[in-house]
PDB file of all heavy atoms in Angstrom:
ATOM      1  N   ASP V   1     105.335  89.923  77.170  1.00 92.00           N
ATOM      2  CA  ASP V   1     104.563  88.762  76.739  1.00 92.00           C
ATOM      3  C   ASP V   1     104.764  87.621  77.726  1.00 92.00           C
ATOM      4  O   ASP V   1     105.904  87.301  78.104  1.00 92.00           O
ATOM      5  CB  ASP V   1     105.003  88.289  75.349  1.00 92.00           C
ATOM      6  CG  ASP V   1     104.532  89.207  74.235  1.00 92.00           C
ATOM      7  OD1 ASP V   1     103.728  90.103  74.520  1.00 92.00           O
ATOM      8  OD2 ASP V   1     104.982  89.015  73.090  1.00 92.00           O
ATOM      9  N   GLY V   2     103.679  87.011  78.163  1.00 93.00           N
ATOM     10  CA  GLY V   2     103.776  85.890  79.098  1.00 93.00           C
ATOM     11  C   GLY V   2     103.937  86.304  80.541  1.00 93.00           C
ATOM     12  O   GLY V   2     103.956  85.451  81.424  1.00 93.00           O
ATOM     13  N   GLY V   3     104.050  87.612  80.804  1.00 96.00           N
ATOM     14  CA  GLY V   3     104.217  88.073  82.177  1.00 96.00           C
ATOM     15  C   GLY V   3     105.639  87.915  82.679  1.00 96.00           C
ATOM     16  O   GLY V   3     106.573  87.693  81.909  1.00 96.00           O
ATOM     17  N   LEU V   4     105.800  88.021  83.993  1.00 97.00           N
ATOM     18  CA  LEU V   4     107.121  87.920  84.627  1.00 97.00           C
ATOM     19  C   LEU V   4     107.056  86.960  85.810  1.00 97.00           C
ATOM     20  O   LEU V   4     106.091  86.973  86.579  1.00 97.00           O
ATOM     21  CB  LEU V   4     107.595  89.288  85.117  1.00 97.00           C
ATOM     22  CG  LEU V   4     107.905  90.335  84.035  1.00 97.00           C
ATOM     23  CD1 LEU V   4     108.195  91.693  84.688  1.00 97.00           C
ATOM     24  CD2 LEU V   4     109.082  89.889  83.165  1.00 97.00           C
ATOM     25  N   PRO V   5     108.084  86.125  85.984  1.00 97.00           N
ATOM     26  CA  PRO V   5     108.073  85.167  87.099  1.00 97.00           C
ATOM     27  C   PRO V   5     108.438  85.825  88.420  1.00 97.00           C
ATOM     28  O   PRO V   5     109.062  86.895  88.465  1.00 97.00           O
ATOM     29  CB  PRO V   5     109.148  84.156  86.680  1.00 97.00           C
ATOM     30  CG  PRO V   5     110.098  84.922  85.823  1.00 97.00           C
ATOM     31  CD  PRO V   5     109.255  85.938  85.094  1.00 97.00           C
ATOM     32  N   ALA V   6     108.034  85.160  89.504  1.00 97.00           N
ATOM     33  CA  ALA V   6     108.456  85.603  90.829  1.00 97.00           C
ATOM     34  C   ALA V   6     109.975  85.605  90.890  1.00 97.00           C
ATOM     35  O   ALA V   6     110.642  84.755  90.295  1.00 97.00           O
ATOM     36  CB  ALA V   6     107.884  84.674  91.902  1.00 97.00           C
ATOM     37  N   GLY V   7     110.522  86.568  91.587  1.00 97.00           N
ATOM     38  CA  GLY V   7     111.972  86.687  91.702  1.00 97.00           C
ATOM     39  C   GLY V   7     112.590  87.602  90.665  1.00 97.00           C
ATOM     40  O   GLY V   7     113.779  87.922  90.764  1.00 97.00           O
ATOM     41  N   THR V   8     111.798  88.041  89.678  1.00 97.00           N
ATOM     42  CA  THR V   8     112.323  88.965  88.678  1.00 97.00           C
ATOM     43  C   THR V   8     112.702  90.287  89.345  1.00 97.00           C
ATOM     44  O   THR V   8     111.937  90.837  90.149  1.00 97.00           O
ATOM     45  CB  THR V   8     111.279  89.242  87.574  1.00 97.00           C
ATOM     46  OG1 THR V   8     110.960  88.023  86.909  1.00 97.00           O
ATOM     47  CG2 THR V   8     111.793  90.243  86.558  1.00 97.00           C
ATOM     48  N   VAL V   9     113.906  90.757  89.028  1.00 97.00           N
ATOM     49  CA  VAL V   9     114.352  92.054  89.550  1.00 97.00           C
ATOM     50  C   VAL V   9     114.001  93.123  88.519  1.00 97.00           C
ATOM     51  O   VAL V   9     114.439  93.070  87.366  1.00 97.00           O
ATOM     52  CB  VAL V   9     115.860  92.052  89.828  1.00 97.00           C
ATOM     53  CG1 VAL V   9     116.305  93.425  90.346  1.00 97.00           C
ATOM     54  CG2 VAL V   9     116.217  90.961  90.834  1.00 97.00           C
ATOM     55  N   LEU V  10     113.183  94.086  88.934  1.00 95.00           N
ATOM     56  CA  LEU V  10     112.726  95.142  88.042  1.00 95.00           C
ATOM     57  C   LEU V  10     113.792  96.222  87.911  1.00 95.00           C
ATOM     58  O   LEU V  10     114.717  96.307  88.739  1.00 95.00           O
ATOM     59  CB  LEU V  10     111.424  95.734  88.578  1.00 95.00           C
ATOM     60  CG  LEU V  10     110.291  94.724  88.790  1.00 95.00           C
ATOM     61  CD1 LEU V  10     109.071  95.422  89.399  1.00 95.00           C
ATOM     62  CD2 LEU V  10     109.918  94.055  87.475  1.00 95.00           C
ATOM     63  N   PRO V  11     113.722  97.073  86.869  1.00 93.00           N
ATOM     64  CA  PRO V  11     114.726  98.124  86.693  1.00 93.00           C
ATOM     65  C   PRO V  11     114.886  99.021  87.908  1.00 93.00           C
ATOM     66  O   PRO V  11     115.970  99.554  88.159  1.00 93.00           O
ATOM     67  CB  PRO V  11     114.180  98.907  85.484  1.00 93.00           C
ATOM     68  CG  PRO V  11     113.397  97.902  84.707  1.00 93.00           C
ATOM     69  CD  PRO V  11     112.787  97.004  85.739  1.00 93.00           C
ATOM     70  N   SER V  12     113.813  99.180  88.688  1.00 93.00           N
ATOM     71  CA  SER V  12     113.896 100.016  89.887  1.00 93.00           C
ATOM     72  C   SER V  12     114.652  99.342  91.023  1.00 93.00           C
ATOM     73  O   SER V  12     114.952  99.980  92.032  1.00 93.00           O
ATOM     74  CB  SER V  12     112.483 100.357  90.373  1.00 93.00           C
ATOM     75  OG  SER V  12     111.817  99.165  90.794  1.00 93.00           O
ATOM     76  N   GLY V  13     114.949  98.044  90.876  1.00 96.00           N
ATOM     77  CA  GLY V  13     115.575  97.271  91.941  1.00 96.00           C
ATOM     78  C   GLY V  13     114.582  96.460  92.743  1.00 96.00           C
ATOM     79  O   GLY V  13     114.976  95.579  93.529  1.00 96.00           O
ATOM     80  N   LEU V  14     113.288  96.690  92.553  1.00 96.00           N
ATOM     81  CA  LEU V  14     112.236  95.941  93.245  1.00 96.00           C
ATOM     82  C   LEU V  14     112.192  94.509  92.716  1.00 96.00           C
ATOM     83  O   LEU V  14     112.304  94.272  91.511  1.00 96.00           O
ATOM     84  CB  LEU V  14     110.883  96.625  93.022  1.00 96.00           C
ATOM     85  CG  LEU V  14     109.661  96.029  93.711  1.00 96.00           C
ATOM     86  CD1 LEU V  14     109.793  96.169  95.214  1.00 96.00           C
ATOM     87  CD2 LEU V  14     108.391  96.736  93.219  1.00 96.00           C
ATOM     88  N   THR V  15     112.015  93.546  93.618  1.00 97.00           N
ATOM     89  CA  THR V  15     111.931  92.134  93.232  1.00 97.00           C
ATOM     90  C   THR V  15     110.484  91.665  93.325  1.00 97.00           C
ATOM     91  O   THR V  15     109.792  91.937  94.317  1.00 97.00           O
ATOM     92  CB  THR V  15     112.806  91.265  94.159  1.00 97.00           C
ATOM     93  OG1 THR V  15     114.169  91.683  94.040  1.00 97.00           O
ATOM     94  CG2 THR V  15     112.708  89.793  93.766  1.00 97.00           C
ATOM     95  N   LEU V  16     110.017  90.959  92.278  1.00 97.00           N
ATOM     96  CA  LEU V  16     108.645  90.470  92.274  1.00 97.00           C
ATOM     97  C   LEU V  16     108.459  89.378  93.324  1.00 97.00           C
ATOM     98  O   LEU V  16     109.215  88.407  93.370  1.00 97.00           O
ATOM     99  CB  LEU V  16     108.261  89.924  90.897  1.00 97.00           C
ATOM    100  CG  LEU V  16     108.114  90.934  89.756  1.00 97.00           C
ATOM    101  CD1 LEU V  16     107.578  90.241  88.512  1.00 97.00           C
ATOM    102  CD2 LEU V  16     107.174  92.069  90.153  1.00 97.00           C
ATOM    103  N   VAL V  17     107.442  89.539  94.141  1.00 97.00           N
ATOM    104  CA  VAL V  17     107.077  88.539  95.139  1.00 97.00           C
ATOM    105  C   VAL V  17     106.315  87.392  94.488  1.00 97.00           C
ATOM    106  O   VAL V  17     106.477  86.224  94.856  1.00 97.00           O
ATOM    107  CB  VAL V  17     106.216  89.189  96.249  1.00 97.00           C
ATOM    108  CG1 VAL V  17     105.723  88.141  97.249  1.00 97.00           C
ATOM    109  CG2 VAL V  17     106.985  90.294  96.945  1.00 97.00           C
ATOM    110  N   ASP V  18     105.490  87.721  93.494  1.00 96.00           N
ATOM    111  CA  ASP V  18     104.633  86.739  92.828  1.00 96.00           C
ATOM    112  C   ASP V  18     104.943  86.700  91.337  1.00 96.00           C
ATOM    113  O   ASP V  18     105.504  87.653  90.774  1.00 96.00           O
ATOM    114  CB  ASP V  18     103.149  87.115  92.977  1.00 96.00           C
ATOM    115  CG  ASP V  18     102.732  87.325  94.418  1.00 96.00           C
ATOM    116  OD1 ASP V  18     102.926  86.383  95.209  1.00 96.00           O
ATOM    117  OD2 ASP V  18     102.203  88.414  94.730  1.00 96.00           O
ATOM    118  N   LYS V  19     104.503  85.629  90.696  1.00 97.00           N
ATOM    119  CA  LYS V  19     104.436  85.628  89.237  1.00 97.00           C
ATOM    120  C   LYS V  19     103.293  86.560  88.838  1.00 97.00           C
ATOM    121  O   LYS V  19     102.184  86.464  89.371  1.00 97.00           O
ATOM    122  CB  LYS V  19     104.170  84.219  88.713  1.00 97.00           C
ATOM    123  CG  LYS V  19     103.999  84.156  87.200  1.00 97.00           C
ATOM    124  CD  LYS V  19     103.696  82.746  86.712  1.00 97.00           C
ATOM    125  CE  LYS V  19     103.492  82.732  85.202  1.00 97.00           C
ATOM    126  NZ  LYS V  19     103.192  81.365  84.684  1.00 97.00           N
ATOM    127  N   VAL V  20     103.557  87.466  87.885  1.00 97.00           N
ATOM    128  CA  VAL V  20     102.553  88.443  87.484  1.00 97.00           C
ATOM    129  C   VAL V  20     102.273  88.290  85.987  1.00 97.00           C
ATOM    130  O   VAL V  20     103.187  88.434  85.170  1.00 97.00           O
ATOM    131  CB  VAL V  20     103.016  89.884  87.790  1.00 97.00           C
ATOM    132  CG1 VAL V  20     101.923  90.882  87.408  1.00 97.00           C
ATOM    133  CG2 VAL V  20     103.386  90.021  89.255  1.00 97.00           C
ATOM    134  N   PRO V  21     101.032  87.963  85.611  1.00 97.00           N
ATOM    135  CA  PRO V  21     100.705  87.810  84.191  1.00 97.00           C
ATOM    136  C   PRO V  21     100.817  89.131  83.430  1.00 97.00           C
ATOM    137  O   PRO V  21     100.760  90.215  84.016  1.00 97.00           O
ATOM    138  CB  PRO V  21      99.250  87.318  84.207  1.00 97.00           C
ATOM    139  CG  PRO V  21      99.004  86.841  85.598  1.00 97.00           C
ATOM    140  CD  PRO V  21      99.883  87.671  86.474  1.00 97.00           C
ATOM    141  N   GLN V  22     100.954  89.038  82.114  1.00 96.00           N
ATOM    142  CA  GLN V  22     100.994  90.234  81.280  1.00 96.00           C
ATOM    143  C   GLN V  22      99.725  91.062  81.476  1.00 96.00           C
ATOM    144  O   GLN V  22      98.612  90.540  81.550  1.00 96.00           O
ATOM    145  CB  GLN V  22     101.116  89.860  79.801  1.00 96.00           C
ATOM    146  CG  GLN V  22     101.262  91.073  78.892  1.00 96.00           C
ATOM    147  CD  GLN V  22     101.192  90.717  77.423  1.00 96.00           C
ATOM    148  OE1 GLN V  22     100.459  89.817  77.020  1.00 96.00           O
ATOM    149  NE2 GLN V  22     101.975  91.412  76.600  1.00 96.00           N
ATOM    150  N   GLY V  23      99.910  92.370  81.592  1.00 96.00           N
ATOM    151  CA  GLY V  23      98.774  93.283  81.749  1.00 96.00           C
ATOM    152  C   GLY V  23      98.308  93.458  83.175  1.00 96.00           C
ATOM    153  O   GLY V  23      97.474  94.324  83.444  1.00 96.00           O
ATOM    154  N   HIS V  24      98.817  92.666  84.078  1.00 97.00           N
ATOM    155  CA  HIS V  24      98.374  92.746  85.469  1.00 97.00           C
ATOM    156  C   HIS V  24      99.270  93.683  86.269  1.00 97.00           C
ATOM    157  O   HIS V  24     100.371  94.027  85.871  1.00 97.00           O
ATOM    158  CB  HIS V  24      98.328  91.353  86.092  1.00 97.00           C
ATOM    159  CG  HIS V  24      97.152  90.557  85.631  1.00 97.00           C
ATOM    160  ND1 HIS V  24      96.104  90.233  86.446  1.00 97.00           N
ATOM    161  CD2 HIS V  24      96.852  90.033  84.411  1.00 97.00           C
ATOM    162  CE1 HIS V  24      95.209  89.531  85.776  1.00 97.00           C
ATOM    163  NE2 HIS V  24      95.640  89.401  84.530  1.00 97.00           N
ATOM    164  N   LYS V  25      98.772  94.056  87.436  1.00 98.00           N
ATOM    165  CA  LYS V  25      99.385  95.117  88.225  1.00 98.00           C
ATOM    166  C   LYS V  25     100.376  94.576  89.256  1.00 98.00           C
ATOM    167  O   LYS V  25     100.152  93.518  89.851  1.00 98.00           O
ATOM    168  CB  LYS V  25      98.280  95.918  88.937  1.00 98.00           C
ATOM    169  CG  LYS V  25      97.385  96.695  87.984  1.00 98.00           C
ATOM    170  CD  LYS V  25      96.246  97.402  88.691  1.00 98.00           C
ATOM    171  CE  LYS V  25      95.172  96.420  89.165  1.00 98.00           C
ATOM    172  NZ  LYS V  25      94.528  95.689  88.056  1.00 98.00           N
ATOM    173  N   VAL V  26     101.397  95.374  89.466  1.00 98.00           N
ATOM    174  CA  VAL V  26     102.422  95.123  90.489  1.00 98.00           C
ATOM    175  C   VAL V  26     102.386  96.268  91.484  1.00 98.00           C
ATOM    176  O   VAL V  26     102.334  97.444  91.080  1.00 98.00           O
ATOM    177  CB  VAL V  26     103.825  95.047  89.849  1.00 98.00           C
ATOM    178  CG1 VAL V  26     104.893  94.884  90.935  1.00 98.00           C
ATOM    179  CG2 VAL V  26     103.903  93.930  88.843  1.00 98.00           C
ATOM    180  N   ALA V  27     102.404  95.937  92.759  1.00 98.00           N
ATOM    181  CA  ALA V  27     102.497  96.982  93.788  1.00 98.00           C
ATOM    182  C   ALA V  27     103.901  97.566  93.783  1.00 98.00           C
ATOM    183  O   ALA V  27     104.888  96.831  93.919  1.00 98.00           O
ATOM    184  CB  ALA V  27     102.161  96.410  95.152  1.00 98.00           C
ATOM    185  N   LEU V  28     103.991  98.878  93.625  1.00 98.00           N
ATOM    186  CA  LEU V  28     105.300  99.532  93.596  1.00 98.00           C
ATOM    187  C   LEU V  28     105.786  99.902  94.990  1.00 98.00           C
ATOM    188  O   LEU V  28     106.980 100.169  95.177  1.00 98.00           O
ATOM    189  CB  LEU V  28     105.229 100.796  92.733  1.00 98.00           C
ATOM    190  CG  LEU V  28     104.819 100.574  91.269  1.00 98.00           C
ATOM    191  CD1 LEU V  28     104.727 101.913  90.551  1.00 98.00           C
ATOM    192  CD2 LEU V  28     105.800  99.648  90.567  1.00 98.00           C
ATOM    193  N   VAL V  29     104.859  99.927  95.958  1.00 98.00           N
ATOM    194  CA  VAL V  29     105.193 100.254  97.349  1.00 98.00           C
ATOM    195  C   VAL V  29     104.397  99.311  98.243  1.00 98.00           C
ATOM    196  O   VAL V  29     103.455  98.641  97.794  1.00 98.00           O
ATOM    197  CB  VAL V  29     104.840 101.724  97.688  1.00 98.00           C
ATOM    198  CG1 VAL V  29     105.648 102.690  96.845  1.00 98.00           C
ATOM    199  CG2 VAL V  29     103.341 101.974  97.503  1.00 98.00           C
ATOM    200  N   ASP V  30     104.777  99.247  99.498  1.00 98.00           N
ATOM    201  CA  ASP V  30     103.985  98.479 100.465  1.00 98.00           C
ATOM    202  C   ASP V  30     102.630  99.167 100.657  1.00 98.00           C
ATOM    203  O   ASP V  30     102.562 100.384 100.891  1.00 98.00           O
ATOM    204  CB  ASP V  30     104.709  98.396 101.819  1.00 98.00           C
ATOM    205  CG  ASP V  30     105.956  97.518 101.762  1.00 98.00           C
ATOM    206  OD1 ASP V  30     105.988  96.586 100.935  1.00 98.00           O
ATOM    207  OD2 ASP V  30     106.894  97.788 102.533  1.00 98.00           O
ATOM    208  N   LEU V  31     101.562  98.382 100.554  1.00 98.00           N
ATOM    209  CA  LEU V  31     100.206  98.905 100.737  1.00 98.00           C
ATOM    210  C   LEU V  31      99.601  98.267 101.971  1.00 98.00           C
ATOM    211  O   LEU V  31      99.612  97.039 102.117  1.00 98.00           O
ATOM    212  CB  LEU V  31      99.337  98.600  99.508  1.00 98.00           C
ATOM    213  CG  LEU V  31      99.776  99.248  98.188  1.00 98.00           C
ATOM    214  CD1 LEU V  31      99.014  98.637  97.017  1.00 98.00           C
ATOM    215  CD2 LEU V  31      99.549 100.752  98.233  1.00 98.00           C
ATOM    216  N   LYS V  32      99.090  99.099 102.879  1.00 98.00           N
ATOM    217  CA  LYS V  32      98.405  98.600 104.058  1.00 98.00           C
ATOM    218  C   LYS V  32      96.924  98.380 103.741  1.00 98.00           C
ATOM    219  O   LYS V  32      96.370  98.995 102.834  1.00 98.00           O
ATOM    220  CB  LYS V  32      98.526  99.599 105.216  1.00 98.00           C
ATOM    221  CG  LYS V  32      99.968  99.840 105.666  1.00 98.00           C
ATOM    222  CD  LYS V  32     100.558  98.583 106.277  1.00 98.00           C
ATOM    223  CE  LYS V  32     101.946  98.847 106.832  1.00 98.00           C
ATOM    224  NZ  LYS V  32     102.574  97.591 107.368  1.00 98.00           N
ATOM    225  N   ALA V  33      96.282  97.483 104.485  1.00 98.00           N
ATOM    226  CA  ALA V  33      94.847  97.264 104.317  1.00 98.00           C
ATOM    227  C   ALA V  33      94.120  98.597 104.435  1.00 98.00           C
ATOM    228  O   ALA V  33      94.341  99.355 105.386  1.00 98.00           O
ATOM    229  CB  ALA V  33      94.336  96.278 105.360  1.00 98.00           C
ATOM    230  N   GLY V  34      93.269  98.896 103.445  1.00 97.00           N
ATOM    231  CA  GLY V  34      92.525 100.157 103.435  1.00 97.00           C
ATOM    232  C   GLY V  34      93.183 101.254 102.638  1.00 97.00           C
ATOM    233  O   GLY V  34      92.541 102.283 102.352  1.00 97.00           O
ATOM    234  N   ASP V  35      94.459 101.087 102.262  1.00 98.00           N
ATOM    235  CA  ASP V  35      95.132 102.106 101.455  1.00 98.00           C
ATOM    236  C   ASP V  35      94.516 102.179 100.058  1.00 98.00           C
ATOM    237  O   ASP V  35      94.061 101.176  99.497  1.00 98.00           O
ATOM    238  CB  ASP V  35      96.628 101.791 101.299  1.00 98.00           C
ATOM    239  CG  ASP V  35      97.437 102.114 102.542  1.00 98.00           C
ATOM    240  OD1 ASP V  35      96.869 102.705 103.478  1.00 98.00           O
ATOM    241  OD2 ASP V  35      98.634 101.751 102.565  1.00 98.00           O
ATOM    242  N   GLU V  36      94.529 103.392  99.497  1.00 97.00           N
ATOM    243  CA  GLU V  36      94.088 103.554  98.110  1.00 97.00           C
ATOM    244  C   GLU V  36      95.077 102.885  97.161  1.00 97.00           C
ATOM    245  O   GLU V  36      96.297 102.997  97.330  1.00 97.00           O
ATOM    246  CB  GLU V  36      93.997 105.034  97.737  1.00 97.00           C
ATOM    247  CG  GLU V  36      92.819 105.775  98.334  1.00 97.00           C
ATOM    248  CD  GLU V  36      92.727 107.201  97.815  1.00 97.00           C
ATOM    249  OE1 GLU V  36      93.713 107.691  97.230  1.00 97.00           O
ATOM    250  OE2 GLU V  36      91.673 107.826  98.004  1.00 97.00           O
ATOM    251  N   VAL V  37      94.538 102.199  96.170  1.00 97.00           N
ATOM    252  CA  VAL V  37      95.341 101.687  95.055  1.00 97.00           C
ATOM    253  C   VAL V  37      95.056 102.604  93.878  1.00 97.00           C
ATOM    254  O   VAL V  37      93.909 102.768  93.459  1.00 97.00           O
ATOM    255  CB  VAL V  37      94.967 100.229  94.710  1.00 97.00           C
ATOM    256  CG1 VAL V  37      95.753  99.751  93.504  1.00 97.00           C
ATOM    257  CG2 VAL V  37      95.229  99.327  95.913  1.00 97.00           C
ATOM    258  N   ARG V  38      96.134 103.257  93.364  1.00 97.00           N
ATOM    259  CA  ARG V  38      95.955 104.295  92.359  1.00 97.00           C
ATOM    260  C   ARG V  38      96.554 103.874  91.021  1.00 97.00           C
ATOM    261  O   ARG V  38      97.690 103.414  90.944  1.00 97.00           O
ATOM    262  CB  ARG V  38      96.597 105.617  92.812  1.00 97.00           C
ATOM    263  CG  ARG V  38      96.037 106.155  94.120  1.00 97.00           C
ATOM    264  CD  ARG V  38      96.592 107.529  94.431  1.00 97.00           C
ATOM    265  NE  ARG V  38      96.043 108.567  93.562  1.00 97.00           N
ATOM    266  CZ  ARG V  38      94.900 109.205  93.806  1.00 97.00           C
ATOM    267  NH1 ARG V  38      94.184 108.915  94.885  1.00 97.00           N
ATOM    268  NH2 ARG V  38      94.471 110.138  92.985  1.00 97.00           N
ATOM    269  N   ARG V  39      95.739 104.040  89.969  1.00 97.00           N
ATOM    270  CA  ARG V  39      96.202 103.903  88.584  1.00 97.00           C
ATOM    271  C   ARG V  39      95.534 105.014  87.787  1.00 97.00           C
ATOM    272  O   ARG V  39      94.381 105.345  88.059  1.00 97.00           O
ATOM    273  CB  ARG V  39      95.849 102.519  88.024  1.00 97.00           C
ATOM    274  CG  ARG V  39      96.445 102.276  86.639  1.00 97.00           C
ATOM    275  CD  ARG V  39      96.393 100.821  86.219  1.00 97.00           C
ATOM    276  NE  ARG V  39      96.995 100.711  84.890  1.00 97.00           N
ATOM    277  CZ  ARG V  39      96.369 100.260  83.809  1.00 97.00           C
ATOM    278  NH1 ARG V  39      95.120  99.827  83.904  1.00 97.00           N
ATOM    279  NH2 ARG V  39      96.977 100.238  82.642  1.00 97.00           N
ATOM    280  N   TYR V  40      96.194 105.600  86.831  1.00 95.00           N
ATOM    281  CA  TYR V  40      95.719 106.801  86.125  1.00 95.00           C
ATOM    282  C   TYR V  40      95.567 107.969  87.105  1.00 95.00           C
ATOM    283  O   TYR V  40      94.800 108.893  86.862  1.00 95.00           O
ATOM    284  CB  TYR V  40      94.379 106.566  85.431  1.00 95.00           C
ATOM    285  CG  TYR V  40      94.372 105.506  84.361  1.00 95.00           C
ATOM    286  CD1 TYR V  40      93.931 104.213  84.636  1.00 95.00           C
ATOM    287  CD2 TYR V  40      94.785 105.800  83.064  1.00 95.00           C
ATOM    288  CE1 TYR V  40      93.904 103.244  83.654  1.00 95.00           C
ATOM    289  CE2 TYR V  40      94.766 104.823  82.071  1.00 95.00           C
ATOM    290  CZ  TYR V  40      94.327 103.549  82.372  1.00 95.00           C
ATOM    291  OH  TYR V  40      94.315 102.578  81.395  1.00 95.00           O
TER     292      TYR V  40
END
């Protein structure tokens, strides 16, 4: 609820670069321009 602030350390050890609202997507890996973004 309310999303997560920048700097939050996720269970995987990844740290959020941005504040991310609830329901919105977080990049789990570095994505280069043109890379596929996959969900489902």
Side-chain angles (χ1 to χ4, degrees):
D1 286 351
L4 293 173
T8 299
V9 179
L10 304 177
S12 65
L14 182 66
T15 299
L16 291 186
V17 175
D18 306 303
K19 176 182 178 180
V20 182
Q22 184 188 35
H24 285 249
K25 294 176 287 298
V26 176
L28 300 177
V29 297
D30 290 331
L31 297 168
K32 298 294 185 183
D35 283 353
E36 286 185 345
V37 177
R38 301 186 72 86
R39 186 166 180 240
Y40 298 98

